[in-house]
């Protein structure tokens, strides 16, 4: 009887290893990423009114959130590779939930800045773990569909719900923005409880030497008895020395090129796409639009985007994902320039809807492409470094974009961001085609 590894058995399965209920519980991570990313952006004008402070001072809470996110990705990647994916899915979301509620109770801007740091930390510890976890829990012929459905559902719902909640509550003087935060924290706490039933990643268990536990976990998930002998795995036990040795794989001949590509691509995507998303609400209010009318733009764009996130999930296994991600990046640049004209309300509606919709083909696909290109023992760490460094720049983008827009105009700002999106898209064209290929083959 031919020997197989745990990864071989997973890749031979016709479906994902999780039940639909557990899949949705895990996918909630993307919801909280979107909620965390945009709740503060949408309610920032209301916070400015509550505390009567300049926009530049209040925007430090955004910067603090992203700095916390960067620290969360760096530490979360290491912790996920050493302590396991499940543990970090619980710890990250628990931190987010507590910190978000405390942010809603802030009595001044310094307290908001401090609590938002921990909101960012928890959110991106959770985010790093879920991208890695779902990649490892998916067979080769369904990996793209599973990971993209997960991120698409979470991102689309998160973006839409935070817009609606902010639209309904943020205009309420002094307390509306607080309720927006607290709602996010309460929902997060509920999912922390639900995640206790998640199984650990069998691929991770195998790689750290817990082969019997990996086998037992896989048998329980699939409700089967594994009869064939298991091939001895290449064990990478968690330890500082082992982690340092594994990290060398990031700069070896097989992986350095892709590490650099994804690092720069993520810098471009986050700085441009998310930089636009978190600052445009404030810029529109500065151009005479009310908070309510500004949020109305985003309600419409988020509703349209939800459909495109579902389309992205459906097409994930029917084409090479990197081509759609690159094409969407170029088109985003076009609509950024169109938005920069601020010609009229219709142009704003169309541009924001297009940006939100095209993001469905950029972020879910590039998340997956990144994790696919690195082996199990450094998968979470590699994703954390490429995605995390990009978030480090994003931490300062609200201040940079607001200052650049003030000095050179909104149109020139959008042109600059469009160029950055085009660079990111061009880089994605250089990575491996991964659709339908075994995970170990792509990442080897």
């Amino acid at each position: 009887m031919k020997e197989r590894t745990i990864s071989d058995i997973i890749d031979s399965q016709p479906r994902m290893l999780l039940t639909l209920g557990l899949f949705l519980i895990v996918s909630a991570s993307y919801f909280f990423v979107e909620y965390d990313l945009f709740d503060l952006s949408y309610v920032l004008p209301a916070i400015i009114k509550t505390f009567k402070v300049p926009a530049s001072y209040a925007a430090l809470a955004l910067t603090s959130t992203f700095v916390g996110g960067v620290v969360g990705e760096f530490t979360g990647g290491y912790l996920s590779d050493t302590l396991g994916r499940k543990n970090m899915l619980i710890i990250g979301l628990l931190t987010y939930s507590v910190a978000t509620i405390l942010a809603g109770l802030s009595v001044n801007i310094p307290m908001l800045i401090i609590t938002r740091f921990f909101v960012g930390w928890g959110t991106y510890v959770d985010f790093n773990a879920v991208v890695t976890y779902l990649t490892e829990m998916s067979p080769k012929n369904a990996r793209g569909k599973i990971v993209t459905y997960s991120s698409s559902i979470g991102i689309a719902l998160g973006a839409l719900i935070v817009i609606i909640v902010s639209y309904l509550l943020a205009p309420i003087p002094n307390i509306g923005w607080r309720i927006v935060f607290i709602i996010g924290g309460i929902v997060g706490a509920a999912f922390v409880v639900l995640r206790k039933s998640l199984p650990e990643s069998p691929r991770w268990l195998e790689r750290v030497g817990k082969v019997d536990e990996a086998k037992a976990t896989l048998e329980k998930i699939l409700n089967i008895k594994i009869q064939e002998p298991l091939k001895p795995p290449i064990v990478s036990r968690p330890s500082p020395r082992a982690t340092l040795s594994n990290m060398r794989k990031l700069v070896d001949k097989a992986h350095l090129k892709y590490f650099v590509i994804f690092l720069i691509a993520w810098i471009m995507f986050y700085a441009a796409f998310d930089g636009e998303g978190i600052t445009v609400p404030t810029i529109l209010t500065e151009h005479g639009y009310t908070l309510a009318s500004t949020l109305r733009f985003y309600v419409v764009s988020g509703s349209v985007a939800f459909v495109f996130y579902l389309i992205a999930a459906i097409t994930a296994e029917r084409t090479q994902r990197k081509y759609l991600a690159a094409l969407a990046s170029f088109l985003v640049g076009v609509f950024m320039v169109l938005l920069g004209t601020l010609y009229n309300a219709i142009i704003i509606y169309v541009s924001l809807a297009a940006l939100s919709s095209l993001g469905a083909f950029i972020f879910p696909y590039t998340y997956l492409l990144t994790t696919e290109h690195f082996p199990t023992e450094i998968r979470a760490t590699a994703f954390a470094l490429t995605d995390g460094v990009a978030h480090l720049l994003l931490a300062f983008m609200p201040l940079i974009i607001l200052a650049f827009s003030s000095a050179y105009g909104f149109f020139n700002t959008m042109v600059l961001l469009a160029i950055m999106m085009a660079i990111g898209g061009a880089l994605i064209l250089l990575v491996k085609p991964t659709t339908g290929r075994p995970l170990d083959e792509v990442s080897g």
Side-chain angles (χ1 to χ4, degrees):
M1 189 175 294
K2 184 179 179 181
E3 290 184 331
R4 293 200 293 172
T5 65
I6 292 293
S7 290
D8 290 335
I9 297 172
I10 293 174
D11 278 333
S12 68
Q13 300 304 308
R15 61 176 181 82
M16 66 176 173
L17 302 188
L18 299 174
T19 64
L20 178 59
L22 291 178
F23 171 74
L24 294 175
I25 290 170
V26 173
S27 301
S29 292
Y30 295 102
F31 172 91
F32 294 112
V33 166
E34 288 301 296
Y35 201 95
D36 163 55
L37 181 62
F38 291 110
D39 58 356
L40 181 54
S41 303
Y42 294 143
V43 303
L44 192 61
I47 292 173
I48 292 170
K49 288 184 178 180
T50 295
F51 294 118
K52 297 179 175 58
V53 295
S56 58
Y57 183 34
L60 291 176
L62 282 169
T63 299
S64 174
T65 304
F66 294 125
V67 171
V70 172
V71 176
E73 286 225 64
F74 290 165
T75 56
Y78 170 78
L79 291 172
S80 180
D81 281 337
T82 54
L83 300 181
R85 316 313 191 197
K86 176 181 176 179
N87 285 332
M88 301 321 298
L89 284 170
I90 292 174
I91 292 172
L93 189 54
L94 178 61
T95 303
Y96 160 83
S97 302
V98 173
T100 298
I101 292 173
L102 291 176
L105 301 175
S106 295
V107 297
N108 52 37
I109 293 296
M111 180 177 175
L112 182 63
I113 291 171
I114 293 171
T115 54
R116 288 295 302 190
F117 173 89
F118 289 101
V119 170
W121 187 90
T123 300
Y124 283 93
V125 165
D126 183 37
F127 169 66
N128 177 274
V130 72
V131 176
T132 306
Y133 183 77
L134 286 175
T135 299
E136 294 177 356
M137 297 293 278
S138 305
K140 65 178 182 180
N141 290 324
R143 189 170 60 244
K145 180 171 62 177
I146 290 168
V147 176
T148 306
Y149 262 121
S150 174
S151 54
S152 295
I153 292 170
I155 291 173
L157 284 177
L160 180 59
I161 290 176
V162 72
I163 293 169
I164 294 173
V165 170
S166 299
Y167 175 71
L168 295 175
L169 298 176
I172 301 175
N174 299 322
I175 65 168
W177 64 269
R178 297 181 187 276
I179 300 174
V180 172
F181 287 163
I182 292 172
I183 287 175
I186 292 174
V187 175
F191 275 88
V192 170
V193 176
L194 294 173
R195 286 185 175 182
K196 291 182 179 180
S197 59
L198 290 173
E200 182 54 271
S201 163
R203 293 188 204 255
W204 179 82
L205 290 170
E206 177 189 46
R207 191 51 62 103
V208 299
K210 300 180 179 181
V211 180
D212 290 341
E213 186 177 345
K215 179 180 178 182
T217 300
L218 193 55
E219 288 178 335
K220 183 177 180 180
I221 291 172
L222 299 176
N223 194 26
I224 62 172
K225 186 69 176 178
I226 299 175
Q227 302 292 344
E228 65 265 49
L230 292 177
K231 185 185 299 183
I234 300 174
V235 175
S236 179
R237 297 185 183 278
S239 71
R241 179 175 295 182
T243 300
L244 180 61
S245 176
N246 290 336
M247 288 291 288
R248 295 194 183 102
K249 293 186 178 182
L250 286 176
V251 294
D252 65 15
K253 185 177 180 180
H255 301 108
L256 178 59
K257 170 185 174 181
Y258 300 108
F259 178 76
V260 173
I261 286 175
F262 284 115
L263 175 63
I264 299 175
W266 277 124
I267 288 174
M268 296 296 105
F269 288 156
Y270 280 130
F273 194 95
D274 286 346
E276 173 272 325
I278 61 183
T279 53
V280 165
T282 299
I283 292 174
L284 288 177
T285 59
E286 292 176 348
H287 280 76
Y289 292 93
T290 65
L291 177 59
S293 63
T294 297
L295 292 177
R296 196 177 302 120
F297 289 136
Y298 284 89
V299 170
V300 173
S301 65
S303 301
V304 174
F306 185 82
V307 176
F308 280 85
Y309 273 97
L310 295 179
I311 294 173
I314 293 170
T315 59
E317 295 294 348
R318 300 181 180 182
T319 184
Q320 283 298 340
R321 296 179 281 271
K322 71 173 190 175
Y323 296 125
L324 279 180
L327 176 61
S329 303
F330 300 139
L331 291 176
V332 161
V334 173
F335 283 100
M336 280 182 167
V337 174
L338 186 62
L339 175 63
T341 65
L342 289 178
Y343 187 72
N344 56 33
I346 294 177
I347 291 297
I348 295 175
Y349 275 121
V350 171
S351 299
L352 290 177
L355 293 178
S356 299
S357 301
L358 290 167
F361 299 95
I362 300 172
F363 291 91
Y365 288 178
T366 311
Y367 291 150
L368 179 57
L369 286 166
T370 306
T371 55
E372 287 176 320
H373 277 72
F374 300 96
T376 302
E377 60 269 29
I378 58 168
R379 182 166 293 122
T381 301
F383 183 81
L385 288 174
T386 54
D387 193 71
V389 170
H391 274 100
L392 183 60
L393 177 59
L394 180 58
F396 302 96
M397 284 308 292
L399 300 176
I400 295 172
I401 291 176
L402 289 173
F404 192 92
S405 179
S406 177
Y408 300 101
F410 183 57
F411 178 78
N412 290 329
T413 302
M414 290 296 102
V415 170
L416 176 62
L417 298 186
I419 293 172
M420 295 171 71
M421 289 300 302
I423 293 172
L427 287 169
I428 292 301
L429 290 174
L430 302 177
V431 304
K432 299 176 186 177
T434 63
T435 304
R437 297 176 62 188
L439 189 57
D440 288 347
E441 177 185 312
V442 176
S443 61

